[in-house]
Amino acid sequence: RLHSPGMKDRLRPVVCVGALHVDAKARVEGAVIPGTSNPAVVSRTPGGVACNIARTLARLGVSVSIVSVVGDDDVGHRLVARLAEEGVGVEDVVILPGTATASYTAVLDGDGSLAFGIADMEIYDRLDRTVVAPAVARYRSGVIWCADANPALGGLASLPAIGGLLVLDPVSVAKARRLLPLLATAAAIFPDAAEATALTGVADPEGAARSLLRSGVERVVVTLGAEGVLVADAAGVVRRPAAVHGPVVDVTGAGDALLAGYVAGLSWGEDDPVGWGLAAASLAVETLETVP
């Protein structure tokens, strides 16, 4: 039903704004030993919150494009080509001469837990108004906008006046507060418990969610890992369990999949987009792939 002929033309398109970089996972055999060489298997994939969401939406048949920046290097050109091949619109990805494409390296213990991460994200300081504002001007009303907290403040400031729905991902505790000026115009925000506290100063997830609602967000979805999500909106606050159908292999990307499934539900006009998000997150944790 969702992918019938001509259906795609009737769906709400999505524009993702934010990170587009290379994710490297270095999986160590056993525990990480500091101060010495650790044998590991390294895999590399397109990454970044906005990128992961856009790739997931494309696989779900949603019309999606991305607004971001990459360096004028082999990595950047390969990323843009890869997304285009997967059906993501890349017309608003700006290639910046003299810069290096961002990268993130996660070092994982043998059990898959994160030992530490290395982030080279300096290029996102140039994901600013000069990049975002022209992209915003190109799209008609009715678009669903999905923004992570990686763009520069000027880039994020280009979003509040736009028409259409705005869905936000805080990305991390360190970057979450960049989204504060956008809360009054946001349709939804997807923090984890720590990010919700960073945004509100309230330690309790339910209290933090209610505080975010008072800031103007229409719906708050606080992710709670294996416990599922806490959903707060005008109808009240409810907890919804994670949808688990198989063994958990790797939780990397589950939050991005949750948000992507939710946005896909919005695009399709479904009554329960949160349910679609939980289903997508369940599929993500059953595989080593960040975008299954």
Side-chain angles (χ1 to χ4, degrees), residues 37-149:
S37 177
N38 288 260
V41 176
V42 181
S43 60
R44 294 176 177 84
T45 60
V49 172
C51 170
N52 291 340
I53 293 169
R55 294 178 68 213
T56 301
L57 289 169
R59 295 186 182 198
L60 291 171
V62 175
S63 176
V64 60
S65 61
I66 186 168
V67 181
S68 192
V69 290
V70 296
D72 189 9
D73 50 23
D74 184 63
V75 172
H77 288 281
R78 286 179 180 271
L79 279 173
V80 173
R82 172 74 175 271
L83 264 64
E85 290 173 0
E86 294 187 4
V88 177
V90 294
E91 297 83 1
D92 296 301
V93 176
V94 176
I95 297 175
L96 299 174
T99 60
T101 299
S103 64
Y104 175 76
T105 301
V107 179
L108 308 175
D109 282 330
D111 62 2
S113 60
L114 180 67
F116 59 89
I118 301 171
D120 179 3
M121 306 289 176
E122 185 177 3
I123 193 173
Y124 295 135
D125 291 340
R126 295 181 62 182
L127 182 48
D128 55 18
R129 185 180 300 274
T130 64
V131 176
V132 179
V136 169
R138 287 203 318 108
Y139 290 95
R140 56 182 172 79
S141 60
V143 169
I144 300 172
W145 292 85
C146 183
D148 67 34

Side-chain angles (χ1 to χ4, degrees), residues 116-262:
F116 59 89
I118 301 171
D120 179 3
M121 306 289 176
E122 185 177 3
I123 193 173
Y124 295 135
D125 291 340
R126 295 181 62 182
L127 182 48
D128 55 18
R129 185 180 300 274
T130 64
V131 176
V132 179
V136 169
R138 287 203 318 108
Y139 290 95
R140 56 182 172 79
S141 60
V143 169
I144 300 172
W145 292 85
C146 183
D148 67 34
N150 282 294
L153 294 178
L156 292 171
S158 301
L159 294 171
I162 63 178
L165 296 177
L166 176 61
V167 180
L168 302 173
D169 189 315
V171 175
S172 67
V173 169
K175 295 181 179 179
R177 292 183 64 82
R178 294 184 181 185
L179 299 181
L180 289 175
L182 303 179
L183 297 182
T185 57
I189 189 169
F190 281 69
D192 63 19
E195 292 160 356
T197 297
L199 284 162
T200 63
V202 180
D204 171 59
E206 182 171 333
R210 292 184 184 278
S211 178
L212 287 167
L213 287 181
R214 291 193 293 271
S215 298
V217 183
E218 294 179 18
R219 176 172 290 158
V220 181
V221 181
V222 182
T223 61
L224 302 172
E227 298 179 15
V229 297
L230 184 150
V231 183
D233 54 27
V237 180
V238 297
R239 289 179 181 259
R240 298 188 58 172
V244 180
H245 298 287
V248 175
V249 176
D250 187 344
V251 300
T252 305
D256 299 343
L258 173 76
L259 197 155
Y262 179 90

